[in-house]
C-alpha cells in the first residue's frame, strides 16, 4: 500500500504559524501534550469529522465562558497529572513498587475529580473518564481518599500480625537497652545518648582508654576526629535483634504478595485506564483550543466541500502578538481564493509576506481543528500545503538563496496534487531581473493549469498581465494624507521614520482590475526616507 503523504512539511508548519499556535495553546496534561504532537490534520473526505471536532471546541468555549471557577479547578487537576501509561502497561507482567502504586492511586483520584467536575459542567460524554471507583477502593480500602499510599494492614491479616509482633519485639529490645544504659550510668558514671552511644574526641586518649575498658560497651565507629562506643548486645538483646530481622523478612515477603495482588488488579483495568488517559488528553486539547480561541478572537471556520479559502478581517496571530507588545494595532486583511493563480503585488513594507503567511495560517489551523483568527472564514480542505519563502538556512546548507529556492520549488512540483495550496513568496528575487521575470511567468503558466490554490507575492507586476491571473494589490499608501505624513516625518529620526510610514500604510488587499491603478509605493517610500529627488524623478521616467 502506498505511503500516505503528509499535508505540510516542517518549514510550512513553522512559517504558517501552526507551530507557534500549538506551542501557545496551554496544554496541561502529559496526555494532551503527547496527543497534539501526534495529531494528524483532517484531509479532503473528512469534512464531517472536522466539523464535529470544531463543534466540540465551540461547545467547550460555551462551557468555559459560563463556568470560569470550575474550569480553573479542572485545569488545576490537569496540572497534577503524571504520565503513568507505561506503569499501567507493565502492571500485567511486573510487580509494581509502592511508589508506582501510589502514582496510580493519585491518577485514579484525579480521574474521579475530573468525572465529578465534568458531570457538573455537562461536558460531552466522550471526554468523561469511565468509572474506576472499584479499583480506587481496592487501592484505598479505608476510603479516606487522601493522596497517599501505604501497604495497609487491612490488605493482609498475616501482615498485620507480623507488624504487631515486630513492634513488640522492638519495644522489648529497647527496654533491655534502656536497662543496660542505666547500669552503665550507675556503675561507671557514663551517660549514653538516646541512641545508646557515646562519642569521644581523639584529643582525649585517656577517656578513650577508660571507656574502652567498660565491658558493657563496644567500639562501634571511628573517624579521624572521634571514636564512638555503643552498648554491647547481651544474649537477650541479640535474640530480639534476630527475631526482628526474621520478622522484617516475613513482612517484606507479605508486602510483595500484596503488591503482586494490587498490580494484577491494576492490570485488569489496563484498557479502561489507558482509554481514560486518552479521553483526558482529548479534553485537555479541546478545552485549551477553546480558551485560546476565546482569548485571541478566533472563530469557527465554515468547512465546505469545494476547494476555497476565504476570510474576512484575518489576522496573523504571531505578528499580532508582536504588535500588541509594542502597543500597535494589526490591520486585518480579507481575501477570497479558489483554484487558480493569484498574485499579490506591491512594495516592500506593504505586508505582502504577512498576508501570504496568513492564508497558510487560516488553512492549516482549520485542517488541524483550530478556530481561525478572522471575523468569518470558509475553508475547503487541501491534500497538500507548502510555502516557498526565503530560507535562512541556505548558507549553512551550502546553497545560494536561489539554489535553495529551486530545491524547494522542485519539492512542490514533485508532490503537488489536486486540491493543493501553494504559497510562494518573491520567487527568483535572488537572480537577475530578466531571468527572474521569465521564470516567474513560466511558473505561473504551469501552476494555472493545475487544480491548486496558488498565491504568489511578486515585484514583477507584468506577471499579472495574463487575464487568467488574479492580481491583489496591497492598498499601501494609496489613501494616505501625504502632506500630513511629510510633516510628521521631516524631523523624525531614522527608526521613527520607518514607524511613521508603517502607521500610515494600509495593509488591506484590493483586487486590481487595471494595471494603471497600481500605486508606486516604493518610490513614495524612497522619497520620504530622503532619497535624492533627482533619483526619484529619473526612476519615474524609466517607469514610463
Amino acid at each position: 500500500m502506498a505511503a500516505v503523504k503528509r499535508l505540510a512539511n516542517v518549514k510550512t508548519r513553522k512559517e504558517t504559524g501552526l507551530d507557534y499556535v500549538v506551542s501557545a495553546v496551554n496544554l496541561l496534561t502529559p496526555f494532551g501534550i503527547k496527543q497534539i504532537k501526534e495529531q494528524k490534520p483532517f484531509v479532503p473526505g473528512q469534512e464531517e469529522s472536522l466539523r464535529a471536532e470544531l463543534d466540540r471546541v465551540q461547545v467547550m468555549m460555551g462551557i468555559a465562558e459560563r463556568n470560569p471557577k470550575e474550569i480553573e479547578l479542572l485545569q488545576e487537576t490537569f496540572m497534577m497529572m503524571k504520565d503513568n501509561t507505561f506503569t499501567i502497561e507493565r502492571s500485567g507482567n511486573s510487580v509494581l513498587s509502592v511508589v508506582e502504586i501510589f502514582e496510580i492511586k493519585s491518577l485514579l483520584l484525579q480521574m474521579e475529580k475530573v468525572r465529578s467536575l465534568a458531570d457538573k459542567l455537562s461536558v460531552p460524554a466522550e471526554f468523561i473518564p469511565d468509572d474506576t471507583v472499584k479499583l480506587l477502593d481496592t487501592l484505598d480500602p479505608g476510603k479516606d481518599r487522601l493522596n497517599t499510599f501505604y501497604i495497609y494492614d487491612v490488605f493482609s491479616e498475616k501482615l498485620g500480625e507480623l507488624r504487631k509482633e515486630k513492634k513488640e519485639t522492638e519495644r522489648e529490645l529497647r527496654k533491655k537497652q534502656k536497662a543496660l544504659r542505666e547500669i552503665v550510668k550507675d556503675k561507671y558514671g557514663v551517660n549514653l545518648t538516646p541512641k545508646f552511644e557515646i562519642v569521644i574526641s581523639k584529643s582525649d586518649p585517656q577517656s578513650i582508654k577508660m571507656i574502652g575498658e567498660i565491658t558493657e560497651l563496644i567500639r562501634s565507629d571511628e573517624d579521624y576526629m572521634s571514636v564512638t562506643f555503643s552498648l554491647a548486645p547481651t544474649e537477650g538483646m541479640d535474640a530480639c535483634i534476630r527475631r526482628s530481622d526474621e520478622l522484617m523478612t516475613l513482612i517484606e515477603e507479605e508486602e510483595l504478595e500484596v503488591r503482586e495482588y494490587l498490580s494484577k488488579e491494576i492490570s485488569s483495568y489496563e484498557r479502561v485506564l489507558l482509554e481514560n488517559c486518552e479521553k483526558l488528553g482529548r479534553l485537555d486539547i479541546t478545552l485549551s483550543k477553546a480558551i485560546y480561541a476565546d482569548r485571541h478572537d478566533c472563530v469557527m471556520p465554515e468547512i465546505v466541500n469545494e476547494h476555497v479559502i476565504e476570510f474576512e478581517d484575518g489576522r496573523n496571530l504571531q505578528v499580532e502578538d508582536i504588535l500588541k507588545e509594542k502597543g500597535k494595532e494589526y490591520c486585518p486583511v480579507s481575501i477570497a481564493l479558489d483554484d487558480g493563480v493569484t498574485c499579490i503585488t506591491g512594495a516592500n513594507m506593504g505586508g505582502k509576506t504577512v498576508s501570504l503567511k496568513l492564508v497558510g495560517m487560516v488553512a492549516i489551523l482549520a485542517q488541524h481543528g483550530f478556530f481561525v483568527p478572522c471575523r468569518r472564514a470558509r475553508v475547503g480542505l487541501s491534500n497538500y500545503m507548502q510555502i516557498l519563502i526565503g530560507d535562512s538556512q541556505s548558507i549553512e546548507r551550502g546553497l545560494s538563496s536561489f539554489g535553495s529556492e529551486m530545491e524547494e520549488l522542485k519539492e512542490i512540483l514533485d508532490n503537488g496534487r489536486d486540491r493543493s495550496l501553494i504559497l510562494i513568496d518573491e520567487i527568483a528575487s535572488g537572480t537577475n531581473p530578466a531571468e527572474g521575470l521569465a521564470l516567474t511567468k513560466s511558473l505561473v503558466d504551469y501552476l494555472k493549469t493545475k487544480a491548486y490554490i496558488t498565491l504568489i507575492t511578486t515585484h514583477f507586476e507584468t506577471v499579472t498581465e495574463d487575464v487568467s491571473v488574479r492580481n491583489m494589490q496591497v492598498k499601501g499608501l494609496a489613501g494616505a494624507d501625504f502632506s500630513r505624513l511629510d510633516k510628521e516625518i521631516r524631523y523624525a529620526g531614522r527608526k521613527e521614520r520607518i514607524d511613521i510610514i508603517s502607521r500610515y500604510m494600509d495593509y488591506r488587499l484590493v483586487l486590481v482590475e487595471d494595471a494603471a491603478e497600481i500605486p508606486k509605493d516604493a518610490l513614495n517610500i524612497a522619497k520620504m526616507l530622503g532619497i535624492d529627488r533627482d533619483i526619484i524623478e529619473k526612476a519615474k521616467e524609466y517607469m514610463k
Side-chain angles (χ1 to χ4, degrees), residues 35 61 79 86 109 114 200-201 206 218 243 247 272 274 401 409 429 471 486 502 532 541 544:
Q35 284 179 32
M61 280 182 77
M79 284 190 282
F86 178 68
L109 288 169
V114 170
I200 307 297
S201 172
Q206 188 174 352
I218 59 171
R243 182 55 182 163
L247 289 168
V272 175
L274 293 178
S401 59
L409 178 59
S429 59
N471 181 12
D486 283 337
S502 297
D532 189 278
E541 289 180 25
K544 292 176 184 176

Side-chain angles (χ1 to χ4, degrees), residues 336-353:
L337 303 170
D338 54 22
D339 286 349
V341 178
T342 301
C343 289
I344 302 178
T345 56
N348 284 341
M349 286 186 67
K352 299 191 304 297
T353 301

Side-chain angles (χ1 to χ4, degrees), residues 5-13 16 18 41-44 50 307-309 357-368 379-388 411-412 415-424 452-453:
K5 291 185 177 180
R6 62 187 174 184
L7 175 68
N9 62 14
V10 172
K11 182 175 180 180
T12 299
R13 288 173 57 96
T16 56
L18 174 64
F42 295 85
V43 293
L50 176 53
H307 194 214
V308 298
I309 299 170
K357 289 183 176 184
L358 172 59
V359 170
M361 175 177 277
V362 170
I364 202 166
L365 284 179
Q367 289 198 218
H368 281 83
V379 177
L381 305 188
S382 297
N383 279 309
Y384 177 69
M385 293 183 189
Q386 187 154 330
I387 188 167
L388 176 52
E411 183 183 343
I412 289 175
N415 291 287
R417 48 208 155 123
D418 286 359
R419 296 183 73 106
S420 286
L421 171 62
I422 308 300
L423 306 169
I424 299 175
Y452 306 165
I453 294 176

Side-chain angles (χ1 to χ4, degrees), residues 8 75 99 108 118 134 180 199 268 318 321 422 499 503 536:
Q75 291 183 311
V99 172
L108 292 170
K134 286 185 179 179
L180 186 55
V199 180
S268 70
Q318 194 167 0
D321 286 346
I422 308 300
D499 287 341
R503 202 164 63 241
I536 303 297

